[in-house]
Amino acid sequence: MPYEEILERFKAQLKIMNLKVTRERLMILEEVMKRKDHFDADQFAADLSVSGVKVSRATVYRTLDILHDMKIVHKTTLGHKHQHYENMVDRAHHDHLVCLKCDKVVEFLEPRIEELQEKVCVDHGFEIKDHSLQLFGICGDCKEADAEANN
Amino acid sequence: MPYEEILERFKAQLKIMNLKVTRERLMILEEVMKRKDHFDADQFAADLSVSGVKVSRATVYRTLDILHDMKIVHKTTLGHKHQHYENMVDRAHHDHLVCLKCDKVVEFLEPRIEELQEKVCVDHGFEIKDHSLQLFGICGDCKEADAEANN
DNA sequence: GTTGCTGCAAACCCTTTGCATAGGA
DNA sequence: TCCTATGCAAAGGGTTTGCAGCAAC
């Protein structure tokens, strides 16, 4: 989806929600759209600042929340004490593999897991709304590094 | 496993780890063994206090950590900002369904999901160590309540 | 002009930690 | 006696919030 389109969608949504189109919100949207990785609010605020964009941390949190409500960003817990955000424009749902040694994050999608989750919910009379799945382990690179260290 | 046995195991493990057998640690083990639910440290400390057992929150956290190292309790994140603990004595691994309305927690085990997780890891060259899976939705009771409210 | 937004700093919440004292081994 | 454990209160780290001034509409 071209940036122009997201921008228009963002503005339109803000209008619908009775929110104002401000310089800060546009700057944050722009920065989010540049990101393809999993980022945390603090790092994001720092990067904005380095780019010469002055926006307070409070506004970053507030705006990321709006973007989350609009499903433009997704929030995940990857085993740290802070939340991670990711740009979801043109991206399908996925879960995460997290390396316990180097913190590398790899995305995956296993449709059969998704189906089984649905089934579990139905079996328990739940209407599923969301889920959170993270697999923690040691990535290939770290395993290799370990093996070498033991030689 | 009878309580006596866990108690002995706890004392033995403490000895191995060069930790002391204290009144506080025994009181906390006893309270943990009474629990079959998912509890948080704060509630746990409050309940201890109501039972007339005086133990500081700091000691509760410290001791729950020891019990976690010993695999006597398991730590989970259930979508809240605090950790939940559960007594794992005589209990197998399981994942959780969480109701977004009433916070009810239901446990489930779907071996096929576990297998597929293994497969995903192998496919990505990861050595799996742990995983975290929560399904969020609306439980049967809340769905009924909603339906009635709409009549 | 009205209403919502921002930045700041303080508050929050859960959890951890430093330190003096108490208490197992 | 020696050394760890405890309790307290303060610190920590991420996130939220109250408020006065400011910017959209």
Side-chain angles (χ1 to χ4, degrees):
Chain A
M1 197 180 296
Y3 179 66
E4 298 304 320
E5 197 175 330
I6 283 292
L7 181 59
E8 289 315 312
R9 191 178 126 199
F10 183 50
K11 289 184 185 172
Q13 286 264 34
L14 285 174
K15 209 148 285 172
I16 291 168
M17 299 164 89
N18 266 308
L19 300 175
K20 292 178 179 171
V21 175
T22 65
R23 186 190 72 89
E24 288 80 2
R25 287 177 178 163
L26 296 179
M27 293 287 95
I28 290 170
L29 175 69
E30 195 180 324
E31 180 71 24
V32 163
M33 295 308 293
K34 288 182 191 160
R35 304 264 179 163
K36 298 298 166 205
D37 57 334
H38 307 84
F39 58 91
D40 60 85
D42 219 52
Q43 185 57 49
F44 184 84
D47 290 353
L48 267 178
S49 161
V50 166
S51 312
V53 179
K54 278 172 72 174
V55 182
S56 72
R57 223 191 303 278
T59 298
V60 166
Y61 277 106
R62 288 188 275 234
T63 306
L64 286 175
D65 265 353
I66 295 172
L67 289 168
H68 181 239
D69 288 346
M70 293 182 182
K71 316 244 190 244
I72 292 177
V73 303
H74 189 256
K75 262 178 167 169
T76 335
T77 303
L78 295 178
H80 297 274
K81 59 184 71 176
H82 54 76
Q83 289 282 319
H84 282 221
Y85 297 83
E86 53 186 325
N87 171 0
M88 287 302 279
V89 172
D90 294 327
R91 313 217 41 221
H93 159 74
H94 55 259
D95 295 308
H96 300 99
L97 268 158
V98 183
C99 177
L100 294 169
K101 292 238 169 173
C102 68
D103 283 334
K104 175 163 43 196
V105 176
V106 176
E107 301 169 1
F108 72 89
L109 179 63
E110 176 45 83
R112 284 170 293 178
I113 290 183
E114 310 280 322
E115 277 168 32
L116 286 164
Q117 287 176 352
E118 288 277 356
K119 182 181 167 302
V120 166
C121 279
V122 170
D123 289 353
H124 288 81
F126 269 65
E127 182 183 332
I128 193 168
K129 293 285 188 190
D130 193 13
H131 73 260
S132 170
L133 170 60
Q134 297 83 233
L135 308 182
F136 299 100
I138 310 297
C139 74
D141 295 346
C142 287
K143 270 195 294 182
E144 269 183 42
D146 277 5
E148 278 181 33
N150 290 333
N151 282 346
Chain B
M1 198 181 295
Y3 179 66
E4 299 305 322
E5 197 175 329
I6 282 292
L7 180 59
E8 289 316 312
R9 191 177 125 198
F10 183 50
K11 288 184 185 172
Q13 287 264 36
L14 284 175
K15 209 148 286 173
I16 291 169
M17 299 164 88
N18 265 308
L19 301 175
K20 292 178 178 171
V21 175
T22 65
R23 188 192 69 89
E24 289 80 1
R25 289 178 176 159
L26 295 178
M27 294 285 96
I28 290 170
L29 174 70
E30 194 180 327
E31 179 71 24
V32 163
M33 294 309 293
K34 287 183 191 160
R35 304 264 178 162
K36 298 298 166 205
D37 57 336
H38 308 83
F39 57 91
D40 59 85
D42 219 53
Q43 185 58 49
F44 185 84
D47 289 354
L48 266 179
S49 161
V50 166
S51 312
V53 180
K54 278 169 74 173
V55 182
S56 73
R57 222 191 303 277
T59 298
V60 166
Y61 278 106
R62 289 189 274 233
T63 306
L64 287 175
D65 266 354
I66 295 173
L67 289 168
H68 182 240
D69 289 345
M70 293 181 181
K71 316 245 189 244
I72 291 177
V73 302
H74 188 254
K75 264 178 167 170
T76 337
T77 302
L78 295 177
H80 297 275
K81 60 184 70 177
H82 53 77
Q83 289 282 320
H84 283 221
Y85 297 84
E86 54 186 324
N87 172 359
M88 287 301 281
V89 172
D90 294 328
R91 313 217 41 219
H93 159 74
H94 55 259
D95 297 307
H96 300 98
L97 268 156
V98 183
C99 178
L100 294 169
K101 293 239 169 172
C102 68
D103 283 332
K104 175 164 41 197
V105 176
V106 176
E107 299 168 1
F108 72 90
L109 179 64
E110 176 46 82
R112 282 170 295 177
I113 290 182
E114 311 279 323
E115 277 169 34
L116 286 164
Q117 288 177 352
E118 289 276 357
K119 182 182 166 302
V120 166
C121 280
V122 169
D123 290 352
H124 288 81
F126 269 65
E127 181 183 332
I128 192 167
K129 292 286 188 188
D130 193 12
H131 73 260
S132 170
L133 170 61
Q134 297 83 231
L135 307 182
F136 299 99
I138 309 297
C139 73
D141 295 346
C142 286
K143 271 195 292 184
E144 270 183 40
D146 278 3
E148 277 181 33
N150 290 332
N151 282 346

